[in-house]
Amino acid sequence: MTHGRARPVGWLLAAAAGVALAIALPADAARFWRWKDAQGTPVFGDRPPAGEVDGVQASSFRRSPTDPVGLHVQDRGSHYEVVADNRAPGPVEVQLALARAENVRPVPALPASSVVPAGGKRVLARVYPVDPRMPNAFEVVLDQLPGDPRARPFDFEYRVPFDYGRVRVDQGFGGRFSHNDPQNHYAVDFALPEGTPVLAARGGVILQVESDFERTGLDRERYGGRANYIRILHDDGSMALYAHLKPEGVEVRVGQQVRQGQRIALSGNTGFSTAPHLHFVVQANRGMRLEAIPFRMFGALGELKFARDETGR
C-alpha cells in the first residue's frame, strides 16, 4: 500500500517540524484500496477494484488543513503518479523523498524539488514497478516551504507597521536573543503595548495566518516556532512576517489582497517572547530554506536606522 507523509509548512520562526499523515477517515483525505488478484499478488490503487473481490481493504491518510500542499497518488495502470496540489495563494517549493521503496523505481530519482504555483497542481514523480509480477509498495515524504527560490526581491521603502509616533526597538539585526539564525538575522522587534493596531508595511497577498495560539513563555523548545502571525507575499516574491500577535487578533484572511498602511492585526505577546512586541522580518526562499533579507523602513522622521543588536532582549 502506498503511504504519504507531509511535513507541514512551519512558516513562522523556525523550520517546519515533521508530522506524519495519520491513517484515518477524515473528509479531506487521500484514499487507497488494497486487495489480491487471482494469482494472489497484492494490488493497490486509488480506486476500488471492479466487481466483487474478497479481502478489499480501504485506507486513507489525512492532510492537515494547515498544509497548503497536499499529496495525491493516481493509478495510471502501468505506474503511479505522485501529484502535489497547492491550495495557497502563492507559490510553494516542495521536496519529495522516498521513506520506503519495495520493488519500485521513481522517475525522477528522489529526493527531488519543484515549485508548485499558486492554486496549481504538479506531477512530482512517476513510480514504476521494477518487476510487475512481484508485490510492490512505497511511502513518500513531502517537505514544503513558501515562496519561489527563483524570486529576486528588489529594494523597497517599507513603512513602519503601526501608526507613526515614537519607535522603540527592543531587538534589532543580529540580536542574540532570537535573531541569531538565518531566518531572523534581519528581524526587528518593536516594543508595542498589547492590542496596538498593526499595519501592513508593504502591500501584498495574505499567504498564511495563525490567530488562535494563546500561550507565551521562554521555553525555546516549546514556543520557538509558535506564535500568532501573518505572512504577506509581495509582488517580487519576498515575504514579510508579522509575529507574536494577540490571540484572535488577526483581521485579514488567507488570499486577501492588502495595501500598504492597511490595518491587518493587533499586536500581542504570544510564543517565544519576554514582553509584548511585534516581530517583523522580510524573508525570501533560497532553495528549501528561508533567509531574512535586509530592508529599508521609513517613519514620520524619515528612514529608521537599525543598528546591529549585540545585547539581545
Side-chain angles (χ1 to χ4, degrees):
M1 181 179 67
T2 57
H3 274 283
R5 286 189 297 159
R7 293 190 174 97
V9 179
W11 292 354
L12 186 50
L13 308 178
V19 176
L21 292 176
I23 294 177
L25 294 175
D28 186 12
R31 295 182 60 83
F32 299 95
W33 285 263
R34 179 186 178 94
W35 65 95
K36 292 184 178 181
D37 62 17
Q39 287 71 42
T41 301
V43 180
F44 60 92
D46 57 359
R47 295 181 180 85
E52 294 186 4
V53 178
D54 295 333
V56 177
Q57 298 177 344
S59 299
S60 67
F61 66 80
R62 179 165 58 94
R63 68 180 186 186
S64 168
T66 61
D67 295 348
V69 177
L71 276 181
H72 306 277
V73 178
Q74 299 178 348
D75 185 357
R76 297 303 187 190
S78 63
H79 65 280
Y80 293 89
E81 288 182 347
V82 182
V83 182
D85 175 14
N86 182 14
R87 298 175 293 175
V92 177
E93 185 181 17
V94 299
Q95 183 176 73
L96 187 72
L98 275 175
R100 181 169 66 99
E102 299 176 11
N103 189 35
V104 294
R105 176 178 60 88
V107 177
L110 300 180
S113 298
S114 183
V115 176
V116 187
K121 295 183 179 182
R122 180 150 294 173
V123 176
L124 302 181
R126 293 175 172 86
V127 181
Y128 297 86
V130 176
D131 184 348
R133 299 167 300 177
M134 300 296 293
N136 54 73
F138 63 96
E139 182 179 0
V140 288
V141 176
L142 187 74
D143 284 323
Q144 47 187 287
L145 204 69
D148 189 332
R150 299 167 296 187
R152 294 295 178 264
F154 54 76
D155 185 36
F156 186 85
E157 295 184 359
Y158 290 81
R159 63 151 291 158
V160 173
F162 45 88
D163 284 335
Y164 292 145
R166 182 173 179 267
V167 177
R168 175 184 158 190
V169 174
D170 277 1
Q171 185 180 193
F173 294 171
R176 289 184 294 174
F177 180 73
S178 61
H179 297 177
N180 52 3
D181 61 81
Q183 297 184 59
N184 297 287
H185 180 79
Y186 292 108
V188 176
D189 287 351
F190 295 102
L192 297 177
E194 188 168 352
T196 301
V198 176
L199 312 179
R202 178 179 178 180
V205 62
I206 305 299
L207 195 57
Q208 191 187 30
V209 302
E210 174 67 49
S211 63
D212 59 359
F213 190 70
E214 299 181 349
R215 299 180 181 180
T216 186
L218 296 178
D219 185 335
R220 185 185 290 269
E221 185 72 20
R222 177 176 296 181
Y223 299 115
R226 295 297 309 274
N228 296 318
Y229 64 96
I230 295 172
R231 183 176 294 277
I232 296 181
L233 174 67
H234 307 136
D235 57 8
D236 62 357
S238 63
M239 298 166 286
L241 184 73
Y242 306 73
H244 305 292
L245 305 174
K246 184 177 180 179
E248 304 302 329
V250 172
E251 300 179 359
V252 290
R253 66 184 184 279
V254 172
Q256 180 179 343
Q257 191 77 31
V258 297
R259 65 185 183 279
Q260 186 179 43
Q262 181 175 336
R263 177 167 162 166
I264 58 174
L266 298 176
S267 67
N269 185 35
T270 55
F272 186 55
S273 173
T274 62
H277 72 283
L278 174 67
H279 177 94
F280 178 84
V281 63
V282 181
Q283 298 171 327
N285 185 328
R286 298 305 193 194
M288 289 307 296
R289 70 183 191 278
L290 290 179
E291 286 189 4
I293 58 178
F295 59 90
R296 294 188 302 128
M297 180 170 282
F298 292 79
L301 301 179
E303 185 174 358
L304 279 62
K305 300 298 183 181
F306 301 120
R308 179 180 174 84
D309 187 294
E310 298 294 348
T311 60
R313 288 173 56 83

